Amino acid sequence: MNRNRTVRLTIAGILVAVAVVGSMFSFPVFGSKCSPVQHMVNVVCGILLGPWYALGAAFLAALIRNLLGLGSLLAFPGGMCGALLCGLVWKTSKKLLPALVGEVFGTGVIGGLLAYPIAIAFMGVSAASVGFYAYIVPFLISTAAGSIIAGAILFALQKNGALNSMLNRLN
């Protein structure tokens, strides 16, 4: 049992590192930095390790990105909501497509809506200058790109049986 936890924490740590390094390849869309690598990591982590590891990894990646100046405070609601929802959907359905949709909906819609009060309270954004839905579009763009990348990788792994083998070794 201890070895399994160590392996899971090691994989989560590697995925956090990939997300942080991958955030150097971001692009601005409106008031948000879009980082598709973060969302790819959210999907992979949610499927391989489960919802709680995915949530923790998304939080740590957002924290490190902010400490290094590679992200914004909006990385917290976006990444964390998508990672958690992706992991929960995978846990209940064991199907890739719904898990990918969970990441997109969690980040794009829920995370986008939660970003609004954070932007107003902590980032000095005027409530009159931006609508409550303003972060949904950039979050959707970022998470859709990352989810497509993760989906391509995971569907290929699933097709040749490697995904099931990895999941069996982790459980």
Side-chain angles (χ1 to χ4, degrees):
M1 185 60 118
N2 252 353
R3 183 185 183 288
N4 191 17
R5 188 176 302 139
T6 304
V7 169
R8 287 175 168 270
L9 285 172
T10 303
I11 292 170
I14 291 168
L15 290 172
V16 168
V18 168
V20 171
V21 171
S23 69
M24 288 191 267
F25 308 105
S26 65
F27 53 92
V29 175
F30 303 117
S32 170
K33 277 186 177 179
C34 293
S35 182
V37 174
Q38 175 66 56
H39 305 291
M40 178 197 70
V41 166
N42 287 350
V43 172
V44 171
C45 196
I47 289 172
L48 288 181
L49 304 176
W52 305 113
Y53 278 94
L55 178 66
F59 173 79
L60 286 174
L63 181 64
I64 294 169
R65 287 172 56 202
N66 274 276
L67 291 173
L68 295 174
L70 298 172
S72 73
L73 291 176
L74 304 180
F76 287 100
M80 292 171 64
C81 292
L84 179 63
L85 192 56
C86 174
L88 289 172
V89 170
W90 172 259
K91 188 175 181 178
T92 58
S93 73
K94 298 294 187 213
K95 296 184 179 178
L96 282 175
L97 192 58
L100 295 171
V101 171
E103 163 65 25
V104 172
F105 183 79
T107 296
V109 178
I110 298 170
L113 291 173
L114 289 175
Y116 177 74
I118 290 173
I120 291 170
F122 300 109
M123 298 175 69
V125 174
S126 167
S129 70
V130 69
F132 71 91
Y133 51 82
Y135 295 106
I136 293 175
V137 171
F139 282 22
L140 278 173
I141 292 168
S142 182
T143 190
S147 294
I148 289 169
I149 295 166
I153 293 167
L154 292 169
F155 277 116
L157 290 174
Q158 187 179 46
K159 190 171 183 172
N160 70 15
L163 180 61
N164 287 335
S165 175
M166 286 188 271
L167 290 170
N168 288 337
R169 295 194 85 180
L170 288 170
N171 293 328

